[in-house]
Amino acid sequence: PKVTVHHEDAVRFLEDHDARWDVIVMDLPDPHDAGLARLYSQATFRLALRRLTDRGTLATQATSPFHAPEAYWCIVETLRAAAADTPVPRTVHAGHVDVPSFGTWGIALLTPEGVDPGATDPAGLPTRWLNADALATMWRLPVDLERRPVEINQLGTAILARYYQQGWARMQ
């Protein structure tokens, strides 16, 4: 009863609504072109953060850190840059999960400062795959997926789309 799913242009939705939410989940399409890369821009993340309550959490898929590591880190670092612009102290966590149909997939999670998602215990929640060990492992990246230097994704640069295209091209 507390969840509402909106299937529409994310930026337009955030611009048109002034409500604030405790949780925002951005399950966005992969940024394979400039139009989609705008969804992961610093400006879009800033807009989403303005719609988040002070104790709120935001999560977004962040493409494959294995296939397109620069794109993955660009999303994480762009969210960090957006969070640094807000008056509320927040932390961005870089994570990954193994999805059977996709392989290793990236997650960027923004939480209020001091929240450790790896220390959360999902005991008692009706989940099939998630337990405390799986949750803690999500936030530990192996050495080959460690942080890389990248540019922040801006509306005018679409650097994220280039990182994404270059990463996936290497895999062919």
Side-chain angles (χ1 to χ4, degrees):
K2 291 185 175 185
V3 175
T4 304
V5 177
H6 300 276
H7 293 279
E8 56 188 284
D9 183 292
V11 174
R12 187 168 300 130
F13 180 85
L14 292 170
E15 289 172 342
D16 292 345
H17 294 80
D18 59 359
R20 295 180 76 204
W21 295 280
D22 295 322
V23 177
I24 297 175
V25 177
M26 301 172 78
D27 188 14
L28 305 169
D30 272 357
H32 60 76
D33 63 35
L36 293 172
R38 78 181 177 92
L39 296 172
Y40 298 89
S41 70
Q42 186 175 11
T44 300
F45 285 143
R46 281 181 184 148
L47 180 59
L49 293 177
R50 285 198 301 269
R51 303 295 181 251
L52 201 59
T53 62
D54 289 351
R55 297 291 304 155
T57 298
L58 180 144
T60 185
Q61 78 93 357
T63 201
S64 172
F66 176 75
H67 293 292
E70 291 83 5
Y72 168 77
W73 283 107
C74 180
I75 293 168
V76 171
E77 295 302 332
T78 300
L79 183 55
R80 281 189 177 132
D85 293 340
T86 65
V88 178
R90 303 183 193 273
T91 303
V92 175
H93 310 272
H96 70 103
V97 296
D98 288 317
V99 179
S101 58
F102 290 99
T104 300
W105 215 254
I107 302 165
L109 178 70
L110 176 136
T111 64
E113 192 170 80
V115 173
D116 178 2
T120 304
D121 185 358
L125 295 177
T127 63
R128 289 178 55 196
W129 309 106
L130 189 63
N131 59 32
D133 290 338
L135 192 57
T137 302
M138 289 171 67
W139 309 109
R140 279 183 255 158
L141 293 171
V143 173
D144 59 334
L145 301 182
E146 286 182 342
R147 193 177 198 169
R148 297 177 186 213
V150 292
E151 293 179 43
I152 301 303
N153 189 47
Q154 304 290 347
L155 284 173
T157 66
I159 188 68
L160 176 57
R162 288 196 293 277
Y163 288 145
Y164 180 87
Q165 292 164 0
Q166 290 166 354
W168 284 94
R170 282 192 305 260
M171 301 308 294
Q172 296 178 359

